[in-house]
Amino acid sequence: MRDQIVSDFLDTLARPAIPAPAGATVAALALAQAAALLSRAAGGDAEADHLTRHALRLAEIDAHAVTHDVPDRAQPAADVVAAAGEVVGVAERLLSTVDSAALADVSAAAEMARSSAMTARVAVEARHGALLAAEPDEVAERATRVTAAVRVGEGLLEGI
């Protein structure tokens, strides 16, 4: 997966007859992109770079769990939820440190992390047969605050 061309990955993903990665795998890939976007916004950030590699590895682990008989198939998806919280944490930290021109990217990354957390939550619940704790909701709330801060800072919410 790591070296696969995006169009080839999308073709594989679109074929329902082939055992292929599922929602949590895609969520982890989106999370890797979000972390990379944060690193870019910061002009390089060691934590964001680490999270990019970590999320990519989670995508590979989840894809393996989906296509093989793994004892706890829900764990990789749960790990994506936790990593999404870490990505939002980097976004929160960067709100006060990045150039104002990069704030839209910080918000975009937070929103991608929100989506990844919620998507992975569904995968955990489907694979585990039980509801996941409130962690994805907390990630979503924090991402909302990041986006609101960016919008206020850009004057987009004035008068609302």
Side-chain angles (χ1 to χ4, degrees):
M1 174 181 301
R2 183 178 301 263
D3 297 321
Q4 192 174 14
I5 296 171
V6 173
S7 60
D8 292 342
F9 174 76
L10 294 175
D11 287 344
T12 300
L13 189 62
R15 289 190 206 121
I18 298 173
T25 302
V26 174
L29 289 173
L31 192 59
Q33 292 175 68
L37 189 57
L38 288 174
S39 184
R40 178 185 174 275
D45 184 271
E47 185 179 6
D49 291 341
H50 166 75
L51 287 169
T52 300
R53 291 186 303 278
H54 179 60
L56 181 56
R57 182 69 183 130
L58 288 176
E60 294 169 338
I61 293 168
D62 188 72
H64 178 79
V66 168
T67 57
H68 294 81
D69 189 19
V70 175
D72 188 0
R73 292 182 45 204
Q75 188 58 53
D79 292 342
V80 171
V81 174
E86 293 179 55
V87 169
V88 172
V90 173
E92 291 167 331
R93 175 174 52 82
L94 293 180
L95 277 175
S96 62
T97 62
V98 300
D99 183 83
S100 63
L103 285 174
D105 288 342
V106 172
S107 174
E111 292 300 327
M112 292 168 73
R114 171 211 313 265
S115 176
S116 293
M118 301 312 273
T119 300
R121 166 194 236 164
V122 172
V124 169
E125 292 170 352
R127 295 174 192 175
H128 195 275
L131 296 178
L132 192 60
E135 185 179 7
D137 293 330
E138 187 256 335
V139 171
E141 289 170 16
R142 290 171 49 216
T144 296
R145 287 193 296 271
V146 168
T147 297
V150 169
R151 295 178 77 201
V152 167
E154 298 292 321
L156 299 175
L157 293 181
E158 292 177 11
I160 294 181

